Amino acid sequence: GAVVSQHPSRVICKSGTSVKIECRSLDFQATTMFWYRQFPKQSLMLMATSNEGSKATYEQGVEKDKFLINHASLTLSTLTVTSAHPEDSSFYICSARGEKRKYGNTIYFGEGSWLTVV
Amino acid sequence: GENVEQHPSTLSVQEGDSAVIKCTYSDSASNYFPWYKQELGKRPQLIIDIRSNVGEKKDQRIAVTLNKTAKHFSLHITETQPEDSAVYFCAASIRDIPTFGRGTSLIVHP
């Protein structure tokens, strides 16, 4: 089956610094990747949708200058949290979708990344 | 945009009982409805899905029903086992972008 790998699984950074999270599709080409934020015992809140080679589409209320998303290739998307603050501490999780002919509408999730800003 | 409501938020059952989780959606344009299971500390995994042209789908102990007119869909788990304990998310997709429900924490007591 399709595998999505996310790195790092846990990261601690100082307030004011930037941190990058990577999302890779290991055995398929991800035409679309999604980035979510998940608070404890809450749902997956979509932050942005990115298609390879084009700018990400951000959900309402998500600051695009703070959460930089780059989908440079069909197997890699990155989320950079810039000038991080303690309130940015959360679980960030990506998902990817492959070619519709082969994978249909199924999206595959990464393992998630716990970000703690101190 | 799409709005998905999911109930209950917590569901506690005895092993062997059935469990039902219900979701409603707001946009009739939604045409794909997946269900994900997320075990503690792990990634969500697709367990079953249904498209808008189908009313019911079954896979062993798991079934999903869809009522397009009422804009609601449900997950049914029969003969529950302790390993079914997890958080379950429903989603409704418009133009291939899913909106997730808030999740249901299912606890199956041995």
Side-chain angles (χ1 to χ4, degrees):
Chain A
V3 177
V4 176
S5 176
Q6 194 171 334
H7 179 81
S9 57
R10 290 183 183 274
V11 58
I12 300 173
C13 71
K14 290 185 178 180
S15 192
T17 62
S18 296
V19 60
K20 182 185 285 187
I21 301 169
E22 292 187 347
C23 181
R24 293 182 185 272
S25 57
L26 298 186
D27 51 359
F28 70 103
Q29 293 185 326
T31 52
T32 306
M33 284 187 168
F34 304 93
W35 285 95
Y36 300 88
R37 187 172 177 175
Q38 187 176 29
F39 292 101
K41 297 186 179 180
Q42 293 197 26
S43 189
L44 300 151
M45 302 302 297
L46 181 65
M47 298 174 67
T49 303
S50 75
N51 295 295
E52 185 263 340
S54 61
K55 289 184 179 179
T57 301
Y58 289 81
E59 294 300 299
Q60 197 171 7
V62 178
E63 298 175 58
K64 60 181 180 182
D65 294 331
K66 180 169 183 61
F67 298 99
L68 300 178
I69 292 171
N70 187 305
H71 192 162
S73 75
L74 282 171
T75 59
L76 174 65
S77 177
T78 60
L79 167 68
T80 302
V81 183
T82 62
S83 188
H85 289 282
E87 55 264 32
D88 297 326
S89 299
S90 189
F91 186 63
Y92 293 88
I93 190 165
C94 71
S95 67
R97 184 170 57 227
E99 289 179 44
K100 211 161 184 176
R101 279 183 311 167
K102 192 173 181 181
Y103 298 97
N105 287 76
T106 304
I107 61 173
Y108 301 92
F109 284 88
E111 306 97 319
S113 300
W114 283 102
L115 170 63
T116 303
V117 184
V118 298
Chain B
E2 177 61 281
N3 181 46
V4 177
E5 299 284 340
Q6 183 172 348
H7 298 281
S9 56
T10 305
L11 179 58
S12 186
V13 300
Q14 287 296 129
E15 183 177 1
D17 288 350
S18 294
V20 180
I21 302 170
K22 298 182 179 182
C23 288
T24 60
Y25 60 101
S26 59
D27 197 325
S28 56
S30 287
N31 59 2
Y32 174 66
F33 307 90
W35 285 86
Y36 286 83
K37 175 183 180 183
Q38 186 178 26
E39 296 178 36
L40 191 63
K42 295 188 177 180
R43 74 187 82 195
Q45 302 262 21
L46 178 72
I47 56 171
I48 196 167
D49 56 10
I50 192 167
R51 298 186 184 281
S52 58
N53 58 347
V54 175
E56 184 173 357
K57 185 176 178 181
K58 191 173 181 180
D59 182 4
Q60 299 182 341
R61 295 188 296 110
I62 296 172
V64 58
T65 59
L66 171 65
N67 184 327
K68 280 171 53 181
T69 304
K71 293 205 281 288
H72 68 70
F73 55 115
S74 301
L75 177 71
H76 304 252
I77 305 174
T78 58
E79 300 171 32
T80 53
Q81 300 165 4
E83 49 266 38
D84 294 330
S85 297
V87 178
Y88 292 80
F89 292 97
C90 66
S93 292
I94 299 176
R95 291 183 292 278
D96 298 332
I97 298 176
T99 299
F100 288 86
R102 294 178 65 85
T104 296
S105 178
L106 173 64
I107 303 165
V108 181
H109 298 281

